[in-house]
Amino acid sequence: MKEYQVIGKPVPLIASREKATGKAKYTDDIRLNGALHIKILRSPHACADIRAIDASGALKAAGVRAVITGRDFNHTFGVLPISKDEPALARDTVRYVGEPVAAVAADTEAQAGEAARRIRVEYEAHDPCLDPRAALLDTDRPIHPELGRGNNLHKSARQEFGDPARGFGEAAAVVEGTFDFQPLTHGFTEPHATQVEIDAQGSITVYSSTQVPHYLHRALAEVLEIPMHRIRVIKPHLGGGFGGKSDPFPHEMIAAKLALITGRNTRLSLTREEVFSSNHGRHPTTIDMKLGLHPEKGITALSTDVLIDGGSYGSFGVVTTYYNGVLLHGPYPAPNFSFACDRVYTNKPMCGAMRGHGGVNPRFASEVLFDMACAKAGLDPCEARLKFIHEPDTVTANGFRITSVGLKEGLRKAMERSAWKEKFGKLPYGKGIGVACGFFISGSALPIHWNKMPQSTVRLTIDFDGGVTVYSGASDIGQGSDTMLAQNVAEVLGVPMSMIRVIAADTGLCPIDLGSYSSRVTFMAGNAARNAAIRMRRILVSAACKLLEIGEPRYGKPGGPDSFFRQGGRKPDFDDPYLGPNPDYSDGFEARELTFRPSAGPREGAGVPYLDAVRKAMDGHGALQTQGIYVSPKMGGDFKGAGAGLSPGYSFTAFISEVTVDPGTGFVRVDKVTGAHDCGFPLNPLSVEGQLDGSIHMGLGQALMEAIRYDPKLGVVQNASFLEYKMLSPFEQPEIDVGYDANVDNEGPFGAKEVGEGALAPVIPSVANAIHDAVGVRLRSLPMTPDRVLAAIEAGAAVTPRNENGKGGM
Amino acid sequence: MRMPPFRFERPAELRQALDLLRELDGAGNGYVLSAGGTDLVPMMKSQPVSVGSLISLTKLKALGGIRLDPGKSLSLGALVTLGDLSSDAAVRETFPCIAETAGKIATPQIRNRATVGGNLLVDNRCIYFNQSEQNRLAHTPCFKAGGETCHLVPKTARGDDPLCRARFVSDLAPVLLLLHATIRIASTAGERSLPLRDFHLPDGISRNRLGRGEILTRIDVPLPGPSAGVLYEKLRIRNAIDFPSLGVAVSLGRIPGGGTRFGAALTGVHTRPVVMQVDEAARGSREESVDSLIAGISRAVTPFRQGFFPPDYLRKMIPVLIRRNMEKLLRKA
Ligand SMILES: Cc1cc2nc3c(=O)[nH]c(=O)nc-3n(C[C@H](O)[C@H](O)[C@H](O)COP(=O)(O)OP(=O)(O)OC[C@H]3O[C@@H](n4cnc5c(N)ncnc54)[C@H](O)[C@@H]3O)c2cc1C
Ligand code: SF4
């Protein structure tokens, strides 16, 4: 394998020192001149009509500069153009407890809070619809009457491939079950915050903790009814997103509106409770799934019927609806496949995208069923998975293009390291080992707003000082994307990381990028940065040739993969504005340690210092500037929903978890997770490990304890704090041994694929399968809390005969 | 979250503090006492009304220090922090269970400030009360919030009984109860002392017998404790931060004149801590004694859905944890 200089090396994130020392400025740390403080008045009802709002008391209160209500907005918004159903402030009805109803801007935070309390809202409360099953029934008070439906259905998706009935007929083992999932919050550290700076021309700069500056920019223009060019969105340092900051939010519209009305700068920060009531977390879900397995053919049929509870608004819900089905087309082929998913509206805070978006819950169901089928068919769960994982360069039943797959070797090694063969089915009662696999997209191939723009554009400049500036619209949300961009550029240009400055997530300065979601940034923005750097390299190499008085390298169409699986039939072309994904840029020069050296020819080994090349290139030309783009190859079928889940690359994961179950109390301790993640070539092992540890931590939270609890009658969140909403403490984090051997993906930048999301899902079923190995019970509801485990053991003890280890059958 | 403004006082002497309390009470002014403030401050943040004056006790020397009087007692100043309690050599030597229990409370940062006195006086908790102002707007105010109703036990279930069922959550109380601790309380009228077991009340609002104008000064634990010691097990979903969903302390000792005394105390599942002892009947078996202890103490508590675990699970765990820990003590004895 090629020896790189910065790629593949553990590089500390470029902002880590600033963050660790407290210097980094997050949105709330910004101090704008004389900013007004905003307080949002929220609904105490889950379902009510607003009869009247009397803000006179608030307007008379000390320090108050403006009060706004739903009447001040003419447009609703939403991240998806197909469900722009959310108002900045509720107009005639409120749809969940905590929905913004009015907002006050005042000189101090205390004044804003005091004034908000003086707003009188007259509500006519109605019985809320809180149960997703009830939401499917006819009602004369639908939550979104504008859809013209007599019930609360939001979105239905149906797909079928092959012949499921025949497939089940061919199976050696058919298993099925109903699986139940709770609502979850992302649990990021930094609550949402927004500050708005307004200039004398009435143009606004919106600082916001967002994963999607671009979508926020668009939504602001629409909701505020001002031209897009009068808006600039900047994402300062961000304290975690996980999908919880990937929509435009009401508070962002409110802060901007109040700045426009008052002509003053404005600021607001949500409390943790407000974050809970804004939600956008994982959908509560019920899945009925059936799986047929054959010892030689693999999954002969898979059918699934899903109901997801979307809460009050659309958010990413249409995508979630599809992802609940389409992400089951890996990690194993399922030629006969049927899927139905309904998303309903209920009077709860809306659900949206959360790490592993839409793929986590169905993965739990399918991997538990796969385990059950193995037990029934007498197959070793690891061996069976090994056998049926997708082969590279294949197409799934629904038209996903599966390119690189590096999981088999990884799983094999994980089996050895965990001593799977010696342990599975052989540990004493209470101890167990279980396996599960998963796969995930590296970015969505289709844009949310239909257009032919590249998914990602990155601009590079080099000026007289030799410093390289990378301009990218991608949002570093703590995951390290700025560092990733800098690494790509540093590697191509042969300059140290310290000479690279990344200016990102500023819609006024940076070229368009769609944002940080669907694990797209490394694959797409990384490729764009790499391409911009290759173009820059050509300029510098050309200058170096002049200084060395040799001819310039001839750039033709470099050799490259030309099959359907590589780049959708396109070859990289150095004369084209688009170089293609991950093009080979060998130009006969070696660029390292700030020197360009020809690696052959008459001046072989002669060095041109980087700065000399820069100056030469600038002669008669000025500052150097290049641009790189990423465009997804064309792919996918031609049927409804064919675009959902299409990605230029897929990551693959396998986890083997070992647990100890206390049969007296039902407590489950996860002792160790061994596994493998195929993220292609690991650009930065430090980041890869951070993401894997984090995915396991977050996945185990869902597995063992996390759930938002709503009051069953009122719909108010009962545990809106990190004391009562239980995420894993460091004590519950297991020992981790996950390999990520380099498996080069031809299209990812330097061979990389995603690592941020895919690894979350499979850890959950691996624990469920390990619990089964330990005490012989199958858990189908998350979280697998001690009370549920104990109840299952007690029920299981009554019906399941035990084998010699005291363990149950299927 | 910002709290409403309040007056801050930090008297230097106990006498001064007691006079100040009497003065405030005389003038009808509200006040709260604060030791570490770890329980108080989050509560103040979520309350819309000011507490009046906040009297910090942290300078009162009379409330400090761990004093060992060998063979007689271990005296803990009310202001001793849980951090110090968990690492103090004299405590570890005489009553390791106190040190271990203190080390299981909250987090290291909180233990650096939280005090043992504050722990015995920690407010009772309820999912309807320990909420922000915004959350409580969705409900009508309950008894504890000065209202006329209870959401945890609605009127249909409780009849006219106006008790608040907010649960008692101190981890140290059950251990100190089995160690027969007594507490000392000062007021301008002098100092009084009472057994800890008589201190707590079965109501989530009045909670205990600390009167207006009174300050808890010390906790005295007589030596020697039960011969085989005390064990405490804290049931909670996470091994850090969390309050006990259920806390079970058990003790095993000898009755003067022969026979075994089995003790158990519970926290987290009732409005007050509950303690019970059973002496091994002359001709009864060990199992029978433990069974009757379990039956008795289970009857004395009423867990509600107030936290992470469903009440019937908590009920089921009481015998499991008592038996397990009793067996450990029996093996030791
Ligand atoms: C995140 C978190 C987790 C927690 N986890 C636990 C847990 O696991 N177990 C547990 O038991 N507790 C827990 N607590 C509660 C609390 O921190 C501890 O009980 C602590 O010991 C309280 O001590 P303090 O000195 O901080 O009390 P303060 O907050 O200062 O006072 C608590 C109460 O006691 C009164 N008071 C204090 N000292 C005196 C005195 N000398 N005389 C008269 N009145 C007095 C105060 O007026 C107040 O009403 C937790 C708290 C938090 C915030
Ligand atoms: S138990 Fe107490 S705190 Fe809880 S709702 Fe009832 S009165 Fe309020």
Side-chain angles (χ1 to χ4, degrees), chain A residues 722-723, chain B residues 21 31-43 55 57-58 60 63 77-82 101-102 104-107 110-111 113-123 125 168-174 184-186 199 207-208 210-211 214-219 232 234 236 238 240-245 267:
Chain A
F722 284 167
L723 181 59
Chain B
L21 300 191
Y31 70 84
V32 288
L33 300 178
S34 171
T38 61
D39 190 47
L40 196 65
V41 172
M43 195 271 291
I55 319 289
L57 304 176
T58 49
L60 307 184
L63 276 63
L79 287 181
V80 169
T81 67
L82 301 181
T101 304
K104 288 178 185 164
I105 293 169
T107 66
I110 292 175
R111 292 199 291 274
R113 285 203 63 87
T115 66
V116 55
N119 189 262
L120 291 178
L121 290 159
V122 66
D123 198 4
R125 297 181 67 84
F168 180 83
V169 290
S170 156
D171 280 304
L172 281 169
R184 280 190 255 164
I185 292 173
F199 183 58
R207 292 161 41 220
N208 56 52
L210 187 80
E214 290 190 318
I215 293 177
L216 171 65
T217 55
R218 304 199 73 82
I219 298 121
Y232 179 69
K234 180 171 179 175
R236 52 174 172 175
R238 300 181 287 191
I241 311 164
D242 287 340
F243 281 91
S245 289
T267 188

